[in-house]
Amino acid sequence: MANAINVGLSGLAGWRVLQRMESRQVEATAKDPVVQRATAYLRENLTATTTAEDLVGDYKMLQVALGAFGLDEDVTNKAFIRKVLESDLGDSASLANRLGDKRYLKLAQAFGKRSDAATTGEALSQAYVQRQFEKRVGEGDQSYRLALNARNEVKAFASRASSDKTLWYEVLGNQQLRTVFQGAFGMSKSIANLPVDRQLEEFMSASERVLGSSSFSKIATDETIDKLTTRYLALSQIQTTTTSNRYTAALSLLSRA
């Protein structure tokens, strides 16, 4: 918790403060000696001849590569990650393409560009720094971490050639991203019990109602992304306050018993 980033406020007020201080905090994260050593090691050791076996066998490199995509918890799942990295990206039936969480596909795609090791190493290093910043924000307030992640992921959707349905399925398969959309739409967690096609319909319908469109060409604008994140944070704060008040009331009743 020593590296936690706390803004001193909660809810939307804290979110606005975080946005103003973000560039400065990302720069500070990049200059952290631990982060600097980690990214420097990756850039120095990732080469055009690095194999999937080499990467998963080198804990330091693997930690940064996975961390760049928020997959830190998979650092011990070496056999699985190797299969992802060795996937034939041109085959729609390959593991990386079949996984609902498209962060694994992005990892495999990045690894596939290692012929230009310097560029790939730099791109992974920058992504790792951003994720480390988000992680530190999350140690102070997890809802802010999720909002930052959603903002960046949805912005990236704007440059994708995928269909809207494909991108919505990606939202459904990415738990962090899903949490923000689900929260902004005021949906119950029980919606996950519905068939996935029905979930898709519900999310797209809610997006039309709340965001004004279910097309990511319109959702992935600064204005709509801001609407998504602020609505998520506002409803999260209301839920937290309501839960806290209920807990306080229950304790008060118990104390009188």
Side-chain angles (χ1 to χ4, degrees), residues 23-62:
S23 59
R24 186 170 68 255
Q25 288 295 335
V26 169
E27 184 178 348
T29 300
K31 292 179 179 178
D32 183 294
V34 175
V35 174
Q36 281 189 326
R37 285 195 296 271
T39 54
Y41 184 87
L42 176 77
R43 290 193 300 270
E44 291 167 5
N45 291 277
L46 181 69
T47 69
T49 60
T50 299
T51 64
E53 182 179 10
D54 293 334
L55 183 60
V56 299
D58 189 319
Y59 180 83
K60 291 182 180 179
M61 272 208 296
L62 183 62

Side-chain angles (χ1 to χ4, degrees), residues 65-66 69 71 74 80-81 83-113 124 153 157 160 162 166-167 170 173-174:
L66 292 178
F69 299 96
L71 296 169
D74 278 312
F80 170 69
I81 294 300
K83 288 180 180 179
V84 169
L85 296 174
E86 292 178 341
S87 294
D88 179 359
L89 300 183
D91 180 2
S92 61
S94 67
L95 178 61
N97 283 315
R98 285 189 290 108
L99 290 169
D101 189 338
K102 296 306 176 185
R103 290 178 297 172
Y104 294 105
L105 175 59
K106 293 174 185 176
L107 169 66
Q109 289 171 333
F111 184 67
K113 297 175 181 177
L124 288 174
E153 291 289 332
F157 281 178
R160 300 269 295 278
S162 304
T166 296
L167 295 174
E170 186 168 331
N174 184 319

Side-chain angles (χ1 to χ4, degrees), residues 13 15-24:
W15 175 242
R16 297 308 182 199
V17 172
L18 178 62
Q19 288 178 307
R20 290 196 294 271
M21 64 191 288
E22 180 176 359
S23 59
R24 186 170 68 255

Side-chain angles (χ1 to χ4, degrees), residues 2 7 15 30 34 49 80 121 123 134 144 154 169 224 231 240 247:
V7 299
W15 175 242
V34 175
T49 60
F80 170 69
E134 293 173 11
Y144 291 160
V154 176
Y169 277 123
T224 307
R231 184 176 170 85
T240 300
Y247 179 69

Side-chain angles (χ1 to χ4, degrees), residues 106 113 152-164 167 216-221 225:
K106 293 174 185 176
K113 297 175 181 177
N152 296 334
E153 291 289 332
V154 176
K155 272 187 178 180
F157 281 178
S159 62
R160 300 269 295 278
S162 304
S163 69
D164 284 318
L167 295 174
F216 279 98
S217 63
K218 296 181 179 179
I219 297 172
T221 62
I225 291 173

Side-chain angles (χ1 to χ4, degrees), residues 21-253:
M21 64 191 288
E22 180 176 359
S23 59
R24 186 170 68 255
Q25 288 295 335
V26 169
E27 184 178 348
T29 300
K31 292 179 179 178
D32 183 294
V34 175
V35 174
Q36 281 189 326
R37 285 195 296 271
T39 54
Y41 184 87
L42 176 77
R43 290 193 300 270
E44 291 167 5
N45 291 277
L46 181 69
T47 69
T49 60
T50 299
T51 64
E53 182 179 10
D54 293 334
L55 183 60
V56 299
D58 189 319
Y59 180 83
K60 291 182 180 179
M61 272 208 296
L62 183 62
Q63 189 177 38
V64 176
L66 292 178
F69 299 96
L71 296 169
D72 313 65
E73 294 181 358
D74 278 312
V75 72
T76 59
N77 298 332
K78 296 182 178 181
F80 170 69
I81 294 300
R82 181 174 175 178
K83 288 180 180 179
V84 169
L85 296 174
E86 292 178 341
S87 294
D88 179 359
L89 300 183
D91 180 2
S92 61
S94 67
L95 178 61
N97 283 315
R98 285 189 290 108
L99 290 169
D101 189 338
K102 296 306 176 185
R103 290 178 297 172
Y104 294 105
L105 175 59
K106 293 174 185 176
L107 169 66
Q109 289 171 333
F111 184 67
K113 297 175 181 177
R114 66 193 180 284
S115 56
D116 186 354
T119 300
T120 300
E122 183 59 32
L124 288 174
S125 295
Q126 290 181 10
Y128 178 74
V129 168
Q130 177 64 31
R131 293 292 185 178
Q132 286 297 304
F133 161 69
E134 293 173 11
K135 189 174 182 180
R136 294 177 181 193
V137 168
E139 289 173 348
D141 189 317
Q142 184 64 15
S143 65
Y144 291 160
R145 180 185 186 182
L146 293 173
L148 286 168
N149 174 72
R151 182 201 64 189
N152 296 334
E153 291 289 332
V154 176
K155 272 187 178 180
F157 281 178
S159 62
R160 300 269 295 278
S162 304
S163 69
D164 284 318
K165 280 193 174 181
T166 296
L167 295 174
W168 276 112
Y169 277 123
E170 186 168 331
V171 170
L172 295 177
N174 184 319
Q175 189 55 52
Q176 295 180 359
L177 198 52
R178 179 193 179 106
T179 297
V180 173
F181 276 93
Q182 191 167 292
F185 296 161
M187 291 176 166
S188 167
K189 292 181 180 179
S190 62
I191 194 173
N193 297 326
L194 296 175
V196 67
D197 288 345
R198 176 66 187 284
Q199 291 183 49
L200 177 68
E201 292 176 5
E202 294 292 334
F203 270 75
M204 291 183 74
S205 176
S207 186
E208 291 280 356
R209 186 177 64 255
V210 175
L211 301 178
S213 176
S214 61
S215 172
F216 279 98
S217 63
K218 296 181 179 179
I219 297 172
T221 62
D222 289 340
E223 182 180 357
T224 307
I225 291 173
D226 185 63
K227 185 175 183 179
L228 170 71
T229 54
T230 54
R231 184 176 170 85
Y232 160 68
L233 291 168
L235 291 179
S236 295
Q237 186 176 22
I238 290 172
Q239 185 177 37
T240 300
T241 302
T242 300
T243 301
S244 177
N245 288 342
R246 287 176 180 171
Y247 179 69
T248 301
L251 284 179
S252 178
L253 289 172

